[in-house]
């Protein structure tokens, strides 16, 4: 081969090689990841563009139409803030809504001699902070006994005593972990953890699902959202916006009034087909009547569990609604088998006592708390950090 021939071959060969390489890349992108590649791609949720997740869906979906994929692909993905230490923010936020419960109790307990009027004042403070009659009585009895036996000495001791008693009231023995580990089906195939989020209008369900998706993504988990609030299209848009900020795909219907159970089912099926770790299902918050609610939530849970068991049913409660919130909570727990409570808007109240009341009422632990409207204002609940925030606010 002459030098001239070599030059011609090289000149033609290099562009050809580039064309072949680019074409191969494009074909691979269009096909989406094949089965062998999927787990690798899914291990890195932040870099997986939502459209590819969708393209690999094999299962025929129930009557759910999926919106154009591009709508979900944000230009820059956000990096959620670390979860550790978030509850410490509660301190500042509580003090903005008035003197927190712990600080008010401490003010009375720090007196030299406690009169009957002082004990009445303590009791009233606890009741006004939504602690509930039973737990209030228990705390007052425990404090009276300890004060009688040990006396009230220096302020540090008073504070330590109150701290200890409040922590006992919030109950540090409850299991507050969020069950989001994927499981396995009878045939050995991988099942996503499914978290169903329920609660009445405006308590913060959609916001909580969005914030929780961020927490999971930050933890390296793959997530799919299910917009089973089909009441208004805006609800699915709101959820999809949350998801797209962290590269999480939302399964939704673009038809108002579509069957919420069908969307929930489709979300779980998608999660299963894609080998996703966690499927978070948002629901509508209407509490028109107990029978209607029972029908709708019953159907959603039945249909979901055909695909995968429910790992968590989270009831979202607005901490500022007090006793009213408790009544709602009771209805939901009867209907939906609640496994954990998310107490939102704790930043908007000084009445931290609702944590105690709702746990007693339902026998279910508070697992997460909402501390504001910001994307990372969701914290795992921890009795000690919570009581410290109450006492130091
Ligand atoms: N201050 C504060 N606001 C919150 C918190 N959580 C949610 N919100 C706000 O509460 C409002 C309602 O939140 P959504 O998430 O839409 O409530 P929802 O339960 O999904 O409402 P529906 O879908 O209508 O039933 C929004 O303005 C949220 O920003 C919180 O922890 N603190
Ligand atoms: Mg909502």
């Amino acid at each position: 081969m002459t030098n001239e021939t070599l030059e011609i071959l090289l000149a033609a060969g290099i562009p050809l090689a580039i064309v072949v390489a680019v074409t191969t890349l494009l074909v691979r992108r269009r096909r989406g990841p094949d089965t062998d590649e999927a787990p690798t791609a899914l291990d890195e949720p932040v870099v997986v563009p939502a459209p590819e997740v969708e393209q690999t869906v094999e299962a025929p979906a129930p009557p759910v139409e999926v919106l154009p994929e591009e709508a979900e692909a944000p230009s820059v993905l956000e990096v959620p803030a670390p979860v550790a230490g978030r509850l410490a923010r509660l301190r500042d936020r509580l003090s903005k809504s008035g003197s927190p419960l712990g600080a008010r109790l401490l003010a009375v307990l720090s007196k030299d001699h406690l009169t009957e009027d002082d004990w009445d004042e303590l009791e009233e403070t606890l009741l006004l902070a939504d602690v509930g009659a039973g737990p209030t009585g228990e705390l007052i009895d425990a404090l009276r006994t300890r004060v009688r036996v040990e006396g009230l000495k220096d302020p540090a001791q008073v504070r330590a005593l109150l701290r200890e008693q409040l922590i006992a009231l919030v109950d540090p023995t409850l299991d507050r972990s969020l069950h989001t580990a994927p499981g396995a089906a009878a045939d050995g195939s991988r099942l996503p953890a499914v978290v169903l989020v329920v609660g009445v209008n405006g308590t913060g369900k959609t916001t909580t699902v969005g914030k929780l998706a961020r927490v999971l993504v930050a933890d390296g988990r793959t997530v799919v959202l299910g917009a089973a609030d089909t009441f208004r299209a805006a609800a699915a848009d709101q959820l999809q916006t949350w998801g797209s900020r962290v590269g999480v795909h939302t399964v939704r219907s673009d038809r108002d009034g579509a069957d919420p159970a069908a969307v929930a089912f489709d979300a779980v099926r998608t999660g299963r087909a894609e080998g996703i770790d966690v499927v978070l299902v948002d629901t509508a918050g209407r509490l028109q009547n107990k029978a209607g609610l029972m029908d709708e939530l019953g159907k959603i849970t039945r249909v979901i569990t055909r695909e995968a068991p429910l790992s968590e049913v989270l009831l979202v409660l607005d901490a500022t609604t007090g006793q009213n919130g408790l009544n709602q909570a009771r209805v939901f727990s009867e209907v939906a088998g609640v496994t954990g409570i998310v107490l939102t808007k704790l930043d908007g109240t000084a009445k931290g006592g609702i944590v105690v009341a709702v746990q007693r009422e339902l026998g279910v632990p508070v697992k997460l708390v909402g501390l504001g409207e910001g994307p990372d204002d969701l914290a795992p609940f921890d009795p000690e950090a919570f009581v410290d925030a109450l006492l130091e606010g």
Side-chain angles (χ1 to χ4, degrees), residues 204-207 229 232 235 238 282-285:
K205 293 178 300 296
T206 307
T207 309
D229 178 355
R232 358 166 233 124
Q238 186 192 357
D282 184 28
T283 60

Coordinates of all heavy atoms in Angstrom, one line a residue, residues 204-207 229 232 235 238 282-285, ligand 2:
G204 N -50.8 18.8 53.7 CA -49.4 18.7 53.2 C -48.9 17.4 52.6 O -47.7 17.1 52.6
K205 N -49.9 16.6 52.1 CA -49.6 15.3 51.6 C -48.6 15.4 50.4 O -47.6 14.8 50.3 CB -50.8 14.6 51.1 CG -51.8 14.2 52.2 CD -53.0 13.6 51.6 CE -53.8 14.5 50.7 NZ -54.3 15.7 51.3
T206 N -49.0 16.2 49.4 CA -48.2 16.3 48.2 C -46.8 16.9 48.5 O -45.8 16.4 48.0 CB -48.9 17.2 47.1 OG1 -50.2 16.7 47.0 CG2 -48.2 17.2 45.8
T207 N -46.8 17.9 49.3 CA -45.5 18.5 49.7 C -44.6 17.4 50.4 O -43.4 17.4 50.2 CB -45.8 19.7 50.7 OG1 -46.7 20.5 50.1 CG2 -44.5 20.4 51.0
D229 N -53.9 11.4 43.2 CA -54.9 12.5 43.4 C -55.3 12.9 42.0 O -54.7 13.8 41.4 CB -54.3 13.6 44.2 CG -55.3 14.8 44.4 OD1 -56.4 14.7 43.8 OD2 -55.0 15.7 45.1
R232 N -57.9 16.9 40.6 CA -57.6 18.0 39.7 C -56.3 17.8 39.1 O -55.4 17.2 39.7 CB -57.6 19.3 40.5 CG -57.8 19.2 42.0 CD -57.5 20.3 42.9 NE -56.6 19.9 43.9 CZ -55.5 20.3 44.2 NH1 -54.9 21.3 43.5 NH2 -54.8 19.9 45.2
A235 N -53.0 18.9 40.8 CA -52.4 18.1 41.8 C -51.2 17.2 41.3 O -50.2 17.1 41.9 CB -53.4 17.1 42.5
Q238 N -48.3 19.5 40.4 CA -47.6 19.9 41.6 C -46.6 18.7 42.0 O -45.4 19.0 42.3 CB -48.6 20.1 42.8 CG -48.0 20.6 44.1 CD -49.1 20.5 45.2 OE1 -50.2 20.1 45.0 NE2 -48.6 20.9 46.4
D282 N -49.2 9.5 46.2 CA -50.0 10.6 46.7 C -51.5 10.4 46.5 O -51.8 9.9 45.4 CB -49.5 11.9 46.0 CG -50.1 13.2 46.6 OD1 -50.4 13.2 47.8 OD2 -50.2 14.2 45.8
T283 N -52.3 10.8 47.4 CA -53.8 10.6 47.2 C -54.5 11.9 47.4 O -54.0 12.9 47.9 CB -54.3 9.6 48.2 OG1 -54.1 10.0 49.5 CG2 -53.7 8.2 48.0
A284 N -55.8 11.9 47.0 CA -56.6 13.1 47.2 C -57.0 13.2 48.7 O -57.1 12.2 49.4 CB -57.9 13.0 46.3
G285 N -57.3 14.5 49.1 CA -57.6 14.7 50.5 C -59.0 14.9 50.9 O -59.3 15.6 51.9
Ligands
LIG2 MG1 -52.1 17.2 47.4

